[in-house]
Amino acid sequence: MKKYIVLAVLTFSIFFSYKYWKTTPQYSVQQVVESIESNDTYLFEKHFDIKKVSDKMSDEFVAYMTKENIDSSGDDEWGLIGKKFATGLFELMKPVLSNQISKEIIALVDNKENNNSLISDSLSFGLFDNSDLNLINQDKISISLALLFEAENINFQREGSTTTLKILLNQSNENEVIEVILKKYEDFWKITEIKNLITFILENQESVIKQ
């Protein structure tokens, strides 16, 4: 009789442990990785908010490019006009960038080549021939995302309904940290933002594209 009681207790313990595991951010990250490996778009989109992540990446890209332009422009009258013009132009580019980043992420999961080049967009003109802007057309974002969760140094920091997954990409440089933000939705978690990935790609373009 005691044997059956022990067996029942173990069964219930395993059941409830697994049920709890499925509500953790670690489980949701695991589901994202598995969905990429199995090309499961439905599972991926359950745990990865493509639109929010793409919009935040677009914001980071524009902020980076705007700062680069400001730092490289003069402080004379023409320099100030150039800064204002470039800043406004970069802001106009955000929807185009966000849309293309979304396509790259979806292509990563679907395991299809992303042939929808930004250069064909009416808002793009010839701007995306620039080496920094052209990274969007070279699959660097999807390559980096695919490799992101393979890093060895990963740390989860949970605070209420937000979990920050910190990924150290370079052991010799503690400043190269990618932050993956997860938000709690009912009984599961969802990635809503990936900080510093765009900056990392822009500053390490050659090494990223060789992966």
Side-chain angles (χ1 to χ4, degrees):
M1 184 65 179
K2 289 183 179 180
K3 181 173 70 174
Y4 291 110
I5 294 175
V6 171
L7 182 60
V9 170
L10 286 173
T11 301
F12 278 111
S13 296
I14 294 172
F15 172 77
F16 285 110
S17 295
Y18 179 69
K19 191 173 181 180
Y20 171 76
W21 161 244
K22 291 178 69 175
T23 67
T24 64
Q26 288 87 341
Y27 176 80
S28 290
V29 171
Q30 183 186 69
Q31 293 301 98
V32 169
V33 174
E34 290 181 1
S35 66
I36 294 173
E37 293 174 350
S38 61
N39 308 125
D40 189 336
T41 305
Y42 174 80
L43 180 61
F44 181 82
E45 291 185 357
K46 178 180 179 181
H47 297 280
F48 193 108
D49 194 319
I50 296 174
K51 186 179 187 312
K52 284 186 178 180
V53 171
S54 299
D55 286 347
K56 291 292 186 180
M57 282 188 174
S58 176
D59 289 342
E60 184 180 334
F61 187 97
V62 169
Y64 182 94
M65 295 302 297
T66 300
K67 183 178 184 301
E68 288 286 297
N69 175 72
I70 291 174
D71 290 346
S72 61
S73 300
D75 293 326
D76 57 11
E77 184 178 352
W78 285 107
L80 294 173
I81 292 173
K83 290 177 184 179
K84 289 181 179 179
F85 176 78
T87 300
L89 189 59
F90 285 136
E91 287 294 324
L92 286 174
M93 287 162 45
K94 278 186 179 181
V96 181
L97 289 166
S98 183
N99 183 54
Q100 186 67 14
I101 292 170
S102 294
K103 289 178 180 178
E104 273 214 41
I105 295 172
I106 293 170
L108 167 66
V109 183
D110 287 343
N111 198 26
K112 296 176 182 176
E113 291 186 4
N114 187 10
N115 296 317
N116 298 310
S117 174
L118 275 168
I119 297 174
S120 65
D121 191 280
S122 60
L123 292 177
S124 303
F125 304 99
L127 294 171
F128 293 93
D129 290 330
N130 175 286
S131 60
D132 286 333
L133 295 171
N134 198 41
L135 76 89
I136 304 293
N137 291 326
Q138 297 177 347
D139 296 330
K140 291 181 182 178
I141 293 175
S142 58
I143 291 170
S144 301
L145 277 174
L147 298 172
L148 191 60
F149 298 107
E150 294 181 8
E152 295 182 359
N153 197 330
I154 299 178
N155 179 37
F156 284 85
Q157 295 182 358
R158 182 171 175 178
E159 187 174 341
S161 60
T162 300
T163 293
T164 302
L165 174 58
K166 294 190 175 183
I167 303 174
L168 181 62
L169 297 180
N170 188 347
Q171 298 289 341
S172 61
N173 187 354
E174 294 183 357
N175 293 322
E176 289 189 353
V177 176
I178 308 299
E179 294 188 357
V180 180
I181 309 299
L182 295 96
K183 296 289 186 180
K184 189 170 178 59
Y185 289 79
E186 297 178 357
D187 60 345
F188 66 95
W189 293 77
K190 200 166 190 174
I191 294 174
T192 58
E193 184 178 0
I194 300 179
K195 296 181 179 179
N196 305 326
L197 182 62
I198 289 292
T199 301
F200 174 79
I201 295 171
L202 286 166
E203 294 178 350
N204 301 272
Q205 289 195 54
E206 290 186 6
S207 60
V208 171
I209 200 62
K210 289 177 182 178
Q211 294 289 343

